[in-house]
Amino acid sequence: MNATPYRPAQAEREETARLLPAPAERDLPPGRHLHHKELLMRQIDQDTTHPSHRPGGLRRRLVDATAPGRPRRRLVLGASLAAGAMAAVIAVTAVGSHAPATVPQAAGTPGGSVSERGPGGASPQAVHLLTRIAAVAAGTSAPQVRDDQYIYIASQVYGASKKIGADGDGANAQYNDDGTGTTQPRQAWFSVNGSRDGLLTPGLRSGEGDVNLGKNTKPSLQLPTYAYLASLPTDPDALLTAVYAQNTGVDKNLNPDQEAFQTIGDALRESLMPPQIGAALYKAAAKIPGVNVVDDAVDASGRHGVAVSQDHGNQRTEWIFDKDKLTYLGERTVLINDDSAGGKAGRVLVSTAVTERAVVDEAGQKPSPGTAT
């Protein structure tokens, strides 16, 4: 069914990149870091009380990252900061809830719980599942949205944390928990067309309230606005060409196919998707080599679903969907094999769960009962 996966030629990528709105300028891989660094800052505040451990410069960079044109998306692991400091990789979910410690089904051999890779591309199971998911997305009612409104997203996220020794050697960092750490809530408001300041709560630091996310005047697939998403082509091949075009030189640790999968995940994770664009993105993902199916995956709120996955290095990223409704639940990244930080195969590294999506009139406004999806 998918023996010859679609790979846009360089000329197609360049032409598509020329026609699409210019993506945001950045000094970090687009959409990859802020999502977790927000909670990294919070964890640092909780764990480092000595003035010398206060990474003020890092916080300024994190706050700068919320300014217009800065990324807010990709799920990534935290990094070492200073001797004796605890470097955490983010989290957010219902207070008091716990993320699953391991998910051995995600670390099994191909052909078991993880579907086998098809010849040269996505597995037949992944193509079939994504086609069904696309049909559900296309059948969703389009929301009534004005440019002066906001997209409201409530989510929950867990992230593994690490600590380094007194010598500051990040290479020897070990996990602080066993993967069952508590999760925390996150609420965000994004301007429909990026012309108004976005809002995040809770903020970057422990005990901090609302944080102004600034405007988003240069949206991209990794940092989309609703208006930007609505402007994209609905043809899956054209859309996938756009995905590959925006990936050029973004993440040196991933090959173009892996980066394409991550970019679509960035667009899905924290947005309200126009129905036809959502359908086109899922159909585009079905054309990416290395995409598989995981029979059972658990999001940050404990909901079980079926997942579309792709491996990168020793990690597997999974988009999780309700098994019956085939609606998007969340995303997680797990270890494929044991790692040097003490993590066992199947350990959850980061996990999210989207609990509400809605259109509201103002930043900070909650949706009326029964209006959220």
Side-chain angles (χ1 to χ4, degrees), residues 36-338:
H36 291 289
K37 285 186 177 179
E38 292 159 351
L39 293 180
L40 168 60
M41 190 67 247
R42 185 183 306 160
Q43 184 68 38
I44 293 167
D45 283 343
Q46 292 170 350
D47 295 331
T48 58
T49 56
H50 191 278
S52 65
H53 291 164
R54 297 289 185 185
L58 174 61
R59 181 180 187 274
R60 284 191 293 271
R61 290 197 295 276
L62 295 180
V63 173
D64 289 345
T66 67
R70 293 297 179 182
R72 72 169 182 260
R73 298 287 202 254
R74 168 82 58 85
L75 306 180
V76 294
L77 296 181
S80 304
L81 296 176
M86 305 193 50
V89 208
I90 338 325
V92 258
T93 310
V95 175
S97 64
H98 295 265
T102 59
V103 280
Q105 65 274 12
T109 57
S113 294
V114 179
S115 60
E116 288 192 19
R117 178 171 176 168
S123 70
Q125 296 96 321
V127 173
H128 177 68
L129 177 59
L130 283 164
T131 301
R132 293 173 59 210
I133 292 171
V136 170
T140 303
S141 298
Q144 299 297 314
V145 180
R146 302 192 312 267
D147 280 349
D148 64 343
Q149 291 181 304
Y150 282 84
I151 304 301
Y152 167 77
I153 307 292
S155 60
Q156 304 171 332
V157 179
Y158 163 81
S161 62
K162 291 182 180 179
K163 63 180 177 180
I164 60 178
D167 59 358
D169 185 0
N172 295 322
Q174 296 291 303
Y175 294 108
N176 283 321
D177 60 37
D178 61 1
T180 59
T182 57
T183 54
Q184 302 177 49
R186 169 187 170 99
Q187 296 179 88
W189 290 260
F190 303 114
S191 170
V192 166
N193 66 1
S195 65
R196 304 174 72 188
D197 289 350
L199 179 69
L200 170 70
T201 187
L204 305 181
R205 301 177 68 91
S206 177
E208 189 174 29
D210 298 344
V211 170
N212 187 315
L213 294 177
K215 298 176 176 61
N216 185 5
T217 58
K218 294 182 178 180
S220 67
L221 281 163
Q222 299 92 351
L223 185 67
T225 63
Y226 185 89
Y228 176 84
L229 290 170
S231 73
L232 293 173
T234 56
D235 176 74
D237 286 343
L239 189 52
L240 189 58
T241 298
V243 169
Y244 277 90
Q246 290 195 16
N247 284 340
T248 305
V250 167
D251 193 332
K252 303 299 184 183
N253 296 317
L254 303 177
N255 66 39
D257 298 327
Q258 293 166 337
E259 185 66 10
F261 185 83
Q262 297 290 341
T263 292
I264 293 176
D266 292 342
L268 296 173
R269 185 179 309 114
E270 200 165 44
S271 62
L272 181 64
M273 193 66 61
Q276 295 304 318
I277 299 302
L281 282 171
Y282 292 128
K283 291 178 181 178
K287 299 172 180 287
I288 299 174
V291 176
N292 299 303
V293 171
V294 176
D295 295 333
D296 184 50
V298 186
D299 71 8
S301 64
R303 298 175 297 190
H304 286 256
V306 61
V308 176
S309 70
Q310 191 190 63
D311 296 355
H312 46 98
N314 190 33
Q315 298 177 16
R316 173 170 293 123
T317 295
E318 303 168 355
W319 308 338
I320 307 171
F321 300 86
D322 184 277
K323 290 183 179 181
D324 298 319
K325 298 178 181 179
L326 296 182
T327 51
Y328 181 92
L329 297 180
E331 178 183 322
R332 72 176 180 181
T333 299
V334 300
L335 287 177
I336 299 172
N337 301 299
D338 296 356

